[in-house]
Amino acid sequence: MIFLGYPNWWGTMPMAVFTFLEEYDFSGKTIIPFCTHEGSGLGHSEKDIAKLCPNSDILKGLAIRGGSVNGAEKDISRWFQKLGVLS
């Protein structure tokens, strides 16, 4: 299980994250994306991850507005529960 965190820049991940995903084989892995943004949510980053890691399971990601990060604990806990990460 890989939690992949990044800021959403221009509707997707920064190029450094693209390079990271291209450099390693994530076949058979579960990738769980999360990002900060200022209005575009996850954008098309989940689709981009799926294209770069076609043999991985991509779970529903979480997007948190950058200005709301300090108060996002409940949102993160609910997301973990939906994913089945927390018991």
Side-chain angles (χ1 to χ4, degrees), residues 6-8 34-39 41-42 61-73 75-76 79:
Y6 49 89
N8 182 329
F34 64 97
C35 74
T36 57
H37 67 94
E38 287 305 326
L42 286 159
L62 176 68
I64 299 174
R65 186 174 290 275
S68 302
V69 168
N70 288 336
E73 186 175 337
D75 292 332
I76 294 167
W79 178 59

Side-chain angles (χ1 to χ4, degrees), residues 36-79:
T36 57
H37 67 94
E38 287 305 326
S40 55
L42 286 159
H44 51 83
S45 62
E46 290 172 307
K47 290 179 184 177
D48 292 337
I49 294 167
K51 286 179 190 175
L52 293 166
C53 304
N55 298 315
S56 299
D57 185 23
I58 315 302
L59 299 187
K60 179 66 180 152
L62 176 68
I64 299 174
R65 186 174 290 275
S68 302
V69 168
N70 288 336
E73 186 175 337
K74 287 182 183 178
D75 292 332
I76 294 167
S77 292
R78 279 192 296 268
W79 178 59

Side-chain angles (χ1 to χ4, degrees), residues 77-87:
S77 292
R78 279 192 296 268
W79 178 59
F80 279 172
Q81 289 173 347
K82 285 182 186 177
L83 293 173
V85 175
L86 293 179
S87 51

